Amino acid sequence: MAKPEKKPTEASTVEAGSSKTGLIVAGAVAALAIVAGVIYFAGFGTADPNAPKGDPDTAALMQEGPLKDIVIGEADAPYTIVEYASMTCSHCAHFHTDVFPELKEKYIDTGKARYMLREFPLDGLAVAAFMLARCAGDDRYYPLVGGMFETQETWAVPGDEGKQKLLLIAKQAGFSQEAFDKCLADKELFDKIVEVRKRAHEEFGVDATPAFFINGKRLKGGYELKNFEAVIDGGSAEDTPPSG
């Protein structure tokens, strides 16, 4: 299946050779009232996105970071799928709307795998979207994430328009204007999301979205259902048992 076109808000990789990613968090996240209303994702290292990538330490990968992992599936499932995604990434939207339902039906609902999504925002609007999903609560996190991916083309637009469109989605999900503003002003939550992204890049070599790990092994060759089938149906969970 052909990959969708990238949207103007999407940056699919972390720029190599820079001490800062150059991603400016403005617009929606300006509500955080941090100095000058402009924030830079900084200190993410100088990893070469074209360099061969090894697999991270499984125990380190499965250890929770600053944010709680919201897991779908049975705790004793033999396979654990970890995804790093950005809410404004069109390829992530394709996965969640076209691939994830089949993956869930075949492996998660049958007890063969469990799944967790971790935040890897590529721009300020993606940070704001993830903040809203977290503020919605654990039970509503995935429904809201799924809804935003399904409607991504309607709200993932540059500037203040994106924030206003997110507000409309938030109101449909039960947020009031006050709750919306309070969520986006949560500096602690903002910092934790940025730290999740930073850790993924520096410790696990994530520099593009979506990125997947199955029992600690980096998924290669794509993210269609067949790629997951090749690992889960063709491999052995005992070879790389998940931790945590």
Side-chain angles (χ1 to χ4, degrees), residues 14-59:
V14 175
E15 183 179 353
S18 172
S19 62
K20 295 182 179 181
T21 65
L23 300 176
I24 303 175
V25 180
V29 187
L32 290 165
I34 303 176
V35 179
V38 179
I39 305 158
Y40 292 85
F41 286 96
F44 284 7
T46 58
D48 179 359
N50 298 315
K53 296 179 179 63
D55 295 320
D57 178 78
T58 303

mmCIF file of all heavy atoms in Angstrom, residues 14-59:
data_model
loop_
_atom_site.group_PDB
_atom_site.id
_atom_site.type_symbol
_atom_site.label_atom_id
_atom_site.label_comp_id
_atom_site.label_asym_id
_atom_site.label_seq_id
_atom_site.Cartn_x
_atom_site.Cartn_y
_atom_site.Cartn_z
ATOM 1 N N VAL A 14 14.422 13.241 12.926
ATOM 2 C CA VAL A 14 15.191 14.209 13.683
ATOM 3 C C VAL A 14 16.400 14.572 12.849
ATOM 4 O O VAL A 14 17.118 13.711 12.374
ATOM 5 C CB VAL A 14 15.651 13.610 15.033
ATOM 6 C CG1 VAL A 14 16.554 14.584 15.762
ATOM 7 C CG2 VAL A 14 14.454 13.243 15.884
ATOM 8 N N GLU A 15 16.633 15.860 12.645
ATOM 9 C CA GLU A 15 17.713 16.304 11.788
ATOM 10 C C GLU A 15 19.057 15.898 12.366
ATOM 11 O O GLU A 15 19.358 16.141 13.521
ATOM 12 C CB GLU A 15 17.673 17.831 11.636
ATOM 13 C CG GLU A 15 18.744 18.362 10.684
ATOM 14 C CD GLU A 15 18.646 19.866 10.548
ATOM 15 O OE1 GLU A 15 17.678 20.440 11.084
ATOM 16 O OE2 GLU A 15 19.533 20.431 9.917
ATOM 17 N N ALA A 16 19.909 15.258 11.539
ATOM 18 C CA ALA A 16 21.221 14.808 11.976
ATOM 19 C C ALA A 16 22.175 15.984 12.059
ATOM 20 O O ALA A 16 22.065 16.956 11.349
ATOM 21 C CB ALA A 16 21.770 13.759 10.999
ATOM 22 N N GLY A 17 23.185 15.860 12.956
ATOM 23 C CA GLY A 17 24.250 16.831 13.046
ATOM 24 C C GLY A 17 23.872 18.120 13.708
ATOM 25 O O GLY A 17 24.565 19.113 13.589
ATOM 26 N N SER A 18 22.781 18.164 14.440
ATOM 27 C CA SER A 18 22.355 19.393 15.088
ATOM 28 C C SER A 18 22.174 19.145 16.562
ATOM 29 O O SER A 18 21.689 18.096 16.967
ATOM 30 C CB SER A 18 21.037 19.884 14.485
ATOM 31 O OG SER A 18 20.526 20.965 15.218
ATOM 32 N N SER A 19 22.539 20.101 17.387
ATOM 33 C CA SER A 19 22.355 19.948 18.820
ATOM 34 C C SER A 19 20.925 20.231 19.224
ATOM 35 O O SER A 19 20.510 19.951 20.329
ATOM 36 C CB SER A 19 23.294 20.888 19.578
ATOM 37 O OG SER A 19 22.984 22.224 19.242
ATOM 38 N N LYS A 20 20.154 20.841 18.285
ATOM 39 C CA LYS A 20 18.737 21.071 18.509
ATOM 40 C C LYS A 20 17.980 20.558 17.305
ATOM 41 O O LYS A 20 18.464 20.563 16.197
ATOM 42 C CB LYS A 20 18.449 22.558 18.692
ATOM 43 C CG LYS A 20 19.096 23.156 19.940
ATOM 44 C CD LYS A 20 18.719 24.624 20.077
ATOM 45 C CE LYS A 20 19.336 25.208 21.335
ATOM 46 N NZ LYS A 20 18.973 26.623 21.499
ATOM 47 N N THR A 21 16.797 20.123 17.526
ATOM 48 C CA THR A 21 16.013 19.631 16.399
ATOM 49 C C THR A 21 15.396 20.753 15.612
ATOM 50 O O THR A 21 14.912 20.558 14.512
ATOM 51 C CB THR A 21 14.884 18.702 16.889
ATOM 52 O OG1 THR A 21 13.988 19.476 17.656
ATOM 53 C CG2 THR A 21 15.439 17.563 17.695
ATOM 54 N N GLY A 22 15.375 21.963 16.169
ATOM 55 C CA GLY A 22 14.791 23.092 15.455
ATOM 56 C C GLY A 22 13.288 23.067 15.443
ATOM 57 O O GLY A 22 12.653 23.807 14.695
ATOM 58 N N LEU A 23 12.682 22.210 16.246
ATOM 59 C CA LEU A 23 11.229 22.141 16.298
ATOM 60 C C LEU A 23 10.728 23.191 17.268
ATOM 61 O O LEU A 23 11.055 23.180 18.451
ATOM 62 C CB LEU A 23 10.785 20.755 16.771
ATOM 63 C CG LEU A 23 11.244 19.611 15.860
ATOM 64 C CD1 LEU A 23 10.843 18.288 16.482
ATOM 65 C CD2 LEU A 23 10.639 19.767 14.488
ATOM 66 N N ILE A 24 9.934 24.133 16.799
ATOM 67 C CA ILE A 24 9.449 25.230 17.628
ATOM 68 C C ILE A 24 8.050 24.916 18.117
ATOM 69 O O ILE A 24 7.169 24.597 17.343
ATOM 70 C CB ILE A 24 9.434 26.539 16.830
ATOM 71 C CG1 ILE A 24 10.831 26.822 16.293
ATOM 72 C CG2 ILE A 24 8.954 27.686 17.695
ATOM 73 C CD1 ILE A 24 10.873 28.035 15.387
ATOM 74 N N VAL A 25 7.873 24.969 19.410
ATOM 75 C CA VAL A 25 6.559 24.716 19.966
ATOM 76 C C VAL A 25 5.884 26.058 20.188
ATOM 77 O O VAL A 25 6.223 26.777 21.101
ATOM 78 C CB VAL A 25 6.671 23.959 21.296
ATOM 79 C CG1 VAL A 25 5.302 23.700 21.887
ATOM 80 C CG2 VAL A 25 7.410 22.671 21.083
ATOM 81 N N ALA A 26 4.954 26.370 19.290
ATOM 82 C CA ALA A 26 4.224 27.621 19.413
ATOM 83 C C ALA A 26 2.747 27.305 19.283
ATOM 84 O O ALA A 26 2.341 26.174 19.404
ATOM 85 C CB ALA A 26 4.678 28.587 18.328
ATOM 86 N N GLY A 27 1.949 28.314 19.005
ATOM 87 C CA GLY A 27 0.529 28.051 18.775
ATOM 88 C C GLY A 27 -0.127 27.430 19.980
ATOM 89 O O GLY A 27 -0.278 28.065 21.006
ATOM 90 N N ALA A 28 -0.522 26.134 19.831
ATOM 91 C CA ALA A 28 -1.271 25.488 20.897
ATOM 92 C C ALA A 28 -0.497 25.438 22.198
ATOM 93 O O ALA A 28 -1.054 25.668 23.268
ATOM 94 C CB ALA A 28 -1.654 24.075 20.459
ATOM 95 N N VAL A 29 0.783 25.146 22.140
ATOM 96 C CA VAL A 29 1.538 24.977 23.365
ATOM 97 C C VAL A 29 1.996 26.310 23.922
ATOM 98 O O VAL A 29 2.536 26.389 25.011
ATOM 99 C CB VAL A 29 2.720 24.010 23.130
ATOM 100 C CG1 VAL A 29 3.427 23.683 24.428
ATOM 101 C CG2 VAL A 29 2.206 22.742 22.486
ATOM 102 N N ALA A 30 1.755 27.402 23.212
ATOM 103 C CA ALA A 30 2.051 28.723 23.773
ATOM 104 C C ALA A 30 1.208 28.964 25.005
ATOM 105 O O ALA A 30 1.550 29.794 25.853
ATOM 106 C CB ALA A 30 1.785 29.810 22.741
ATOM 107 N N ALA A 31 0.109 28.230 25.140
ATOM 108 C CA ALA A 31 -0.738 28.353 26.330
ATOM 109 C C ALA A 31 -0.004 27.932 27.583
ATOM 110 O O ALA A 31 -0.455 28.206 28.688
ATOM 111 C CB ALA A 31 -1.997 27.498 26.157
ATOM 112 N N LEU A 32 1.128 27.265 27.421
ATOM 113 C CA LEU A 32 1.918 26.871 28.574
ATOM 114 C C LEU A 32 2.569 28.062 29.244
ATOM 115 O O LEU A 32 3.065 27.969 30.358
ATOM 116 C CB LEU A 32 3.015 25.881 28.147
ATOM 117 C CG LEU A 32 2.518 24.498 27.726
ATOM 118 C CD1 LEU A 32 3.588 23.756 26.991
ATOM 119 C CD2 LEU A 32 2.078 23.723 28.941
ATOM 120 N N ALA A 33 2.601 29.205 28.561
ATOM 121 C CA ALA A 33 3.165 30.445 29.104
ATOM 122 C C ALA A 33 4.620 30.296 29.502
ATOM 123 O O ALA A 33 5.074 30.863 30.486
ATOM 124 C CB ALA A 33 2.350 30.937 30.301
ATOM 125 N N ILE A 34 5.379 29.494 28.745
ATOM 126 C CA ILE A 34 6.809 29.381 28.982
ATOM 127 C C ILE A 34 7.478 30.514 28.215
ATOM 128 O O ILE A 34 6.939 31.010 27.238
ATOM 129 C CB ILE A 34 7.323 28.008 28.536
ATOM 130 C CG1 ILE A 34 6.536 26.937 29.274
ATOM 131 C CG2 ILE A 34 8.790 27.830 28.822
ATOM 132 C CD1 ILE A 34 6.868 25.544 28.857
ATOM 133 N N VAL A 35 8.655 30.898 28.629
ATOM 134 C CA VAL A 35 9.321 32.109 28.169
ATOM 135 C C VAL A 35 9.078 32.387 26.696
ATOM 136 O O VAL A 35 9.419 31.589 25.841
ATOM 137 C CB VAL A 35 10.833 32.005 28.436
ATOM 138 C CG1 VAL A 35 11.537 33.260 27.938
ATOM 139 C CG2 VAL A 35 11.087 31.818 29.914
ATOM 140 N N ALA A 36 8.511 33.546 26.431
ATOM 141 C CA ALA A 36 8.279 34.075 25.094
ATOM 142 C C ALA A 36 7.278 33.267 24.289
ATOM 143 O O ALA A 36 7.055 33.556 23.122
ATOM 144 C CB ALA A 36 9.588 34.193 24.313
ATOM 145 N N GLY A 37 6.707 32.220 24.885
ATOM 146 C CA GLY A 37 5.728 31.406 24.158
ATOM 147 C C GLY A 37 6.354 30.562 23.077
ATOM 148 O O GLY A 37 5.660 29.986 22.255
ATOM 149 N N VAL A 38 7.694 30.449 23.036
ATOM 150 C CA VAL A 38 8.381 29.651 22.024
ATOM 151 C C VAL A 38 9.338 28.714 22.727
ATOM 152 O O VAL A 38 10.115 29.124 23.561
ATOM 153 C CB VAL A 38 9.166 30.536 21.044
ATOM 154 C CG1 VAL A 38 9.896 29.683 20.028
ATOM 155 C CG2 VAL A 38 8.234 31.511 20.353
ATOM 156 N N ILE A 39 9.245 27.426 22.403
ATOM 157 C CA ILE A 39 10.033 26.413 23.075
ATOM 158 C C ILE A 39 10.731 25.573 22.025
ATOM 159 O O ILE A 39 10.157 25.255 20.991
ATOM 160 C CB ILE A 39 9.141 25.512 23.951
ATOM 161 C CG1 ILE A 39 8.350 26.362 24.915
ATOM 162 C CG2 ILE A 39 9.945 24.479 24.696
ATOM 163 C CD1 ILE A 39 7.133 25.699 25.435
ATOM 164 N N TYR A 40 11.961 25.206 22.288
ATOM 165 C CA TYR A 40 12.706 24.373 21.354
ATOM 166 C C TYR A 40 12.928 22.994 21.955
ATOM 167 O O TYR A 40 13.271 22.876 23.125
ATOM 168 C CB TYR A 40 14.066 24.994 21.031
ATOM 169 C CG TYR A 40 13.979 26.254 20.230
ATOM 170 C CD1 TYR A 40 13.786 27.477 20.861
ATOM 171 C CD2 TYR A 40 14.080 26.229 18.848
ATOM 172 C CE1 TYR A 40 13.697 28.645 20.123
ATOM 173 C CE2 TYR A 40 13.996 27.402 18.112
ATOM 174 C CZ TYR A 40 13.806 28.599 18.760
ATOM 175 O OH TYR A 40 13.713 29.755 18.036
ATOM 176 N N PHE A 41 12.749 21.961 21.142
ATOM 177 C CA PHE A 41 13.158 20.629 21.553
ATOM 178 C C PHE A 41 14.670 20.605 21.415
ATOM 179 O O PHE A 41 15.194 20.709 20.306
ATOM 180 C CB PHE A 41 12.557 19.557 20.639
ATOM 181 C CG PHE A 41 11.103 19.339 20.867
ATOM 182 C CD1 PHE A 41 10.160 19.966 20.079
ATOM 183 C CD2 PHE A 41 10.664 18.519 21.881
ATOM 184 C CE1 PHE A 41 8.812 19.772 20.293
ATOM 185 C CE2 PHE A 41 9.311 18.315 22.096
ATOM 186 C CZ PHE A 41 8.390 18.945 21.302
ATOM 187 N N ALA A 42 15.368 20.488 22.535
ATOM 188 C CA ALA A 42 16.818 20.633 22.498
ATOM 189 C C ALA A 42 17.496 19.412 23.083
ATOM 190 O O ALA A 42 16.913 18.624 23.806
ATOM 191 C CB ALA A 42 17.232 21.871 23.288
ATOM 192 N N GLY A 43 18.790 19.287 22.760
ATOM 193 C CA GLY A 43 19.626 18.271 23.375
ATOM 194 C C GLY A 43 19.281 16.860 22.972
ATOM 195 O O GLY A 43 19.458 15.929 23.744
ATOM 196 N N PHE A 44 18.811 16.647 21.751
ATOM 197 C CA PHE A 44 18.429 15.310 21.351
ATOM 198 C C PHE A 44 19.561 14.566 20.647
ATOM 199 O O PHE A 44 19.343 13.568 20.001
ATOM 200 C CB PHE A 44 17.204 15.366 20.423
ATOM 201 C CG PHE A 44 15.929 15.632 21.171
ATOM 202 C CD1 PHE A 44 15.951 15.936 22.515
ATOM 203 C CD2 PHE A 44 14.720 15.572 20.519
ATOM 204 C CE1 PHE A 44 14.780 16.187 23.206
ATOM 205 C CE2 PHE A 44 13.541 15.826 21.209
ATOM 206 C CZ PHE A 44 13.581 16.132 22.547
ATOM 207 N N GLY A 45 20.789 15.086 20.756
ATOM 208 C CA GLY A 45 21.914 14.343 20.237
ATOM 209 C C GLY A 45 22.109 14.541 18.756
ATOM 210 O O GLY A 45 21.459 15.344 18.106
ATOM 211 N N THR A 46 23.051 13.751 18.204
ATOM 212 C CA THR A 46 23.437 13.916 16.811
ATOM 213 C C THR A 46 23.380 12.590 16.067
ATOM 214 O O THR A 46 24.222 12.284 15.242
ATOM 215 C CB THR A 46 24.854 14.502 16.713
ATOM 216 O OG1 THR A 46 25.761 13.623 17.400
ATOM 217 C CG2 THR A 46 24.921 15.878 17.353
ATOM 218 N N ALA A 47 22.414 11.776 16.377
ATOM 219 C CA ALA A 47 22.312 10.464 15.740
ATOM 220 C C ALA A 47 22.113 10.608 14.243
ATOM 221 O O ALA A 47 21.386 11.471 13.768
ATOM 222 C CB ALA A 47 21.151 9.672 16.349
ATOM 223 N N ASP A 48 22.787 9.758 13.487
ATOM 224 C CA ASP A 48 22.665 9.750 12.034
ATOM 225 C C ASP A 48 21.479 8.874 11.660
ATOM 226 O O ASP A 48 21.507 7.656 11.891
ATOM 227 C CB ASP A 48 23.947 9.210 11.404
ATOM 228 C CG ASP A 48 23.881 9.162 9.883
ATOM 229 O OD1 ASP A 48 22.831 9.540 9.320
ATOM 230 O OD2 ASP A 48 24.871 8.752 9.267
ATOM 231 N N PRO A 49 20.404 9.446 11.071
ATOM 232 C CA PRO A 49 19.222 8.637 10.749
ATOM 233 C C PRO A 49 19.489 7.590 9.688
ATOM 234 O O PRO A 49 18.712 6.653 9.528
ATOM 235 C CB PRO A 49 18.205 9.682 10.251
ATOM 236 C CG PRO A 49 19.040 10.825 9.789
ATOM 237 C CD PRO A 49 20.237 10.860 10.695
ATOM 238 N N ASN A 50 20.600 7.724 8.955
ATOM 239 C CA ASN A 50 20.928 6.753 7.912
ATOM 240 C C ASN A 50 21.834 5.635 8.410
ATOM 241 O O ASN A 50 22.122 4.691 7.675
ATOM 242 C CB ASN A 50 21.593 7.476 6.736
ATOM 243 C CG ASN A 50 20.674 8.491 6.092
ATOM 244 O OD1 ASN A 50 19.506 8.210 5.842
ATOM 245 N ND2 ASN A 50 21.193 9.691 5.836
ATOM 246 N N ALA A 51 22.315 5.763 9.631
ATOM 247 C CA ALA A 51 23.208 4.744 10.172
ATOM 248 C C ALA A 51 22.412 3.495 10.552
ATOM 249 O O ALA A 51 21.248 3.576 10.923
ATOM 250 C CB ALA A 51 23.931 5.286 11.401
ATOM 251 N N PRO A 52 23.059 2.312 10.441
ATOM 252 C CA PRO A 52 22.382 1.078 10.855
ATOM 253 C C PRO A 52 21.974 1.165 12.316
ATOM 254 O O PRO A 52 22.716 1.685 13.155
ATOM 255 C CB PRO A 52 23.446 0.001 10.637
ATOM 256 C CG PRO A 52 24.401 0.590 9.651
ATOM 257 C CD PRO A 52 24.412 2.066 9.932
ATOM 258 N N LYS A 53 20.795 0.671 12.640
ATOM 259 C CA LYS A 53 20.280 0.770 13.998
ATOM 260 C C LYS A 53 20.215 -0.614 14.626
ATOM 261 O O LYS A 53 19.627 -1.537 14.068
ATOM 262 C CB LYS A 53 18.896 1.415 14.004
ATOM 263 C CG LYS A 53 18.892 2.861 13.504
ATOM 264 C CD LYS A 53 17.495 3.425 13.518
ATOM 265 C CE LYS A 53 17.497 4.867 13.057
ATOM 266 N NZ LYS A 53 17.950 5.000 11.655
ATOM 267 N N GLY A 54 20.811 -0.725 15.796
ATOM 268 C CA GLY A 54 20.714 -1.967 16.529
ATOM 269 C C GLY A 54 19.463 -1.981 17.384
ATOM 270 O O GLY A 54 18.667 -1.040 17.372
ATOM 271 N N ASP A 55 19.297 -3.044 18.120
ATOM 272 C CA ASP A 55 18.147 -3.152 19.013
ATOM 273 C C ASP A 55 18.525 -2.636 20.393
ATOM 274 O O ASP A 55 19.646 -2.853 20.863
ATOM 275 C CB ASP A 55 17.691 -4.604 19.108
ATOM 276 C CG ASP A 55 17.161 -5.124 17.789
ATOM 277 O OD1 ASP A 55 16.452 -4.366 17.105
ATOM 278 O OD2 ASP A 55 17.477 -6.282 17.438
ATOM 279 N N PRO A 56 17.625 -1.942 21.064
ATOM 280 C CA PRO A 56 17.929 -1.427 22.402
ATOM 281 C C PRO A 56 17.935 -2.537 23.428
ATOM 282 O O PRO A 56 17.502 -3.666 23.164
ATOM 283 C CB PRO A 56 16.781 -0.441 22.649
ATOM 284 C CG PRO A 56 15.644 -1.008 21.870
ATOM 285 C CD PRO A 56 16.269 -1.594 20.633
ATOM 286 N N ASP A 57 18.414 -2.209 24.613
ATOM 287 C CA ASP A 57 18.318 -3.135 25.720
ATOM 288 C C ASP A 57 16.842 -3.333 26.064
ATOM 289 O O ASP A 57 16.118 -2.363 26.321
ATOM 290 C CB ASP A 57 19.074 -2.569 26.929
ATOM 291 C CG ASP A 57 18.963 -3.472 28.143
ATOM 292 O OD1 ASP A 57 19.665 -4.489 28.185
ATOM 293 O OD2 ASP A 57 18.145 -3.151 29.035
ATOM 294 N N THR A 58 16.390 -4.570 26.030
ATOM 295 C CA THR A 58 14.965 -4.847 26.206
ATOM 296 C C THR A 58 14.454 -4.385 27.568
ATOM 297 O O THR A 58 13.369 -3.799 27.673
ATOM 298 C CB THR A 58 14.681 -6.346 26.033
ATOM 299 O OG1 THR A 58 15.142 -6.768 24.747
ATOM 300 C CG2 THR A 58 13.191 -6.629 26.139
ATOM 301 N N ALA A 59 15.239 -4.631 28.604
ATOM 302 C CA ALA A 59 14.801 -4.227 29.941
ATOM 303 C C ALA A 59 14.652 -2.716 30.031
ATOM 304 O O ALA A 59 13.702 -2.207 30.638
ATOM 305 C CB ALA A 59 15.792 -4.732 30.990
#
